[in-house]
Amino acid sequence: MIRSVIRGSGSALPERAVTNAELAEQIDTSDEWIVERTGIRQRYIAGEGETTSTLATAAARNALAMAGIEAADIDLIILATATPDHTFPASATQVQKALGCRGGIAFDVHAVCSGFLYALGTADSMLRTGMAKKALVIGAETFSRILDWDDRTTCVLFGDGAGAIVLEAQDCEEDGPGILATRLHADGEHKELLYVDGGPSTTGTVGKLRMKGREVFRHAVVNLADVLGETLDAVGMEPADIDWVVPHQANARILDATARKLGLPAEKVIVTVDRHANTSAASVPLAFDAGMRDGRIKRGDLVMFEAMGGGFTWGASLARI
Ligand code: UT7
């Protein structure tokens, strides 16, 4: 059967890391509050010249190098972002140009923090139906540029960065590698709990992020547990079959609560929220690349990706590496 196989991963972070203590010099917060409530210790903030597409391009180059695949052979680029360089064209086209792989398919997917899952599901469908052979699936964000730096309830939570994977359509055995199942959901009912208060068709401005964190937290734990169960059911597997959970990194307490609901030990969850904070669509591929490069995630492992974000949108994807 044709499956989308993960050939490599890569990541890129802005040069500048900003600690909680540095933030506490500018706004009414403390390292203690941020660590206790979120697990975040620092975040990376894009500087001049660092944009969503430059970070995405750097992450894509690292992923291509790990995969041993030339940029020229990539015929599909899907970039998940809520913070594109421009309203249009899609930042994916600028990544394509920078990589020098013109002529294939390139577009952005917008599902905020679940964007990488949406991009992964879309790329997997396109590869399995033969529309493309080798894909770059990227999550990249510069959320620092849509934060209200006077709002301590949101600005301490987010960071910038990019992560990427290379997928290749391959003929696989039943127990071979590849993406096994993906489940995606959306519910537009709760827009006011997490949104940006501007946009091209409303205010004509970019706007700033607004979030009612406590309510988002409550929805996140329930929705994630549901979609993880649904994805396992799709392939007749149990939580105990999972080697690694690679979750969206919004809050260490959400990661703990989700692992507990699944009955999984915390050691099976890849955590990067302490170093990266919440990088929205970039957080899942950033965490995956961290696990791949430090040797925890190995070929043959069963990995569950999951995320929940603005919309609300949420999803999960199970892959054998
Ligand atoms: O990526 C998309 C999905 N996003 C998420 O999943 C985020 C989910 N939500 C969360 O992670 C948590 O709800 C937060 C980290 C955002 C907030 O944690 P919380 O435990 O729910 O705190 P809270 O919002 O209920 O605020 C508790 C207190 C408040 O003070 P009072 O009203 O109790 O006096 C806040 O004003 O903490 C105060 N507070 C702060 N204090 C110091 C809020 N932000 C800060 C801050 N520093 N940065």
Side-chain angles (χ1 to χ4, degrees), residues 29 33 37-38 113 152-153 213-214 248 250-251 253-254 278:
T29 190
W33 189 95
R37 301 288 177 129
T38 71
C113 300
R152 69 174 185 173
T153 68
R214 183 169 279 192
H248 171 49
N251 185 319
R253 290 186 293 140
I254 298 182
N278 181 345

